[in-house]
Amino acid sequence: MPRRHPTLADVFAELGNGKVVEVPITHPTERVYGFCDQGTGVIAVNKYPADLADTLVHELLHRRHPRWGEARVTRETRYVMRRLTDEDIKHLCQTYRRRVCRLRRTVKLEA
């Protein structure tokens, strides 16, 4: 069976499937835009990511496809992002802003 790429519909479906939090994230050696906790399914998005839409798509794909490695998620994120219109990106960010839970505490990741 040929590999099926994720669609915008897959991304929106996953946005509605679980908790997404916006929280300051620090790491001693890397810039972290977000991460998906596979144990709980919670997606954490850094309060000030460089590209919110790209970070959301990336982390939502991690949650939707937990067996995919980082390289595959990155490839599929690029695939989805190249196909989004400005209106799609605006709608994705608006939906995120309505659904996100904002946390004040900082998440400190280990190296």
Side-chain angles (χ1 to χ4, degrees):
M1 180 167 62
R3 181 169 80 176
R4 185 178 84 76
H5 292 287
T7 65
L8 182 59
D10 294 332
V11 171
F12 271 102
E14 195 57 39
L15 183 56
N17 279 344
K19 189 171 185 177
V20 179
V21 298
E22 185 177 85
V23 58
I25 302 169
T26 63
H27 187 278
T29 60
E30 298 176 34
R31 178 173 292 149
V32 178
Y33 299 115
F35 65 90
C36 178
D37 182 331
Q38 292 295 343
T40 63
V42 173
I43 291 174
V45 176
N46 204 338
K47 192 171 182 176
Y48 304 107
D51 185 341
L52 179 59
D54 187 89
T55 301
L56 279 173
V57 170
H58 184 91
E59 298 306 335
L60 291 165
L61 290 177
H62 269 302
R63 184 167 69 194
R64 189 164 188 91
H65 302 283
R67 291 187 174 153
W68 287 0
E70 188 66 26
R72 172 87 186 267
V73 170
T74 299
R75 259 192 332 272
E76 300 296 348
T77 298
R78 280 194 307 264
Y79 178 87
V80 171
M81 290 303 296
R82 283 193 306 264
R83 285 153 180 79
L84 296 182
T85 65
D86 289 344
E87 194 60 34
D88 292 334
I89 291 171
K90 180 180 173 184
H91 183 60
L92 178 62
C93 291
Q94 287 173 339
T95 303
Y96 163 77
R97 293 281 177 220
R98 282 194 305 272
R99 291 193 45 81
V100 70
C101 299
R102 288 176 178 82
L103 303 178
R104 293 183 190 271
R105 66 178 169 77
T106 298
V107 173
K108 294 181 181 181
L109 302 177
E110 297 178 10

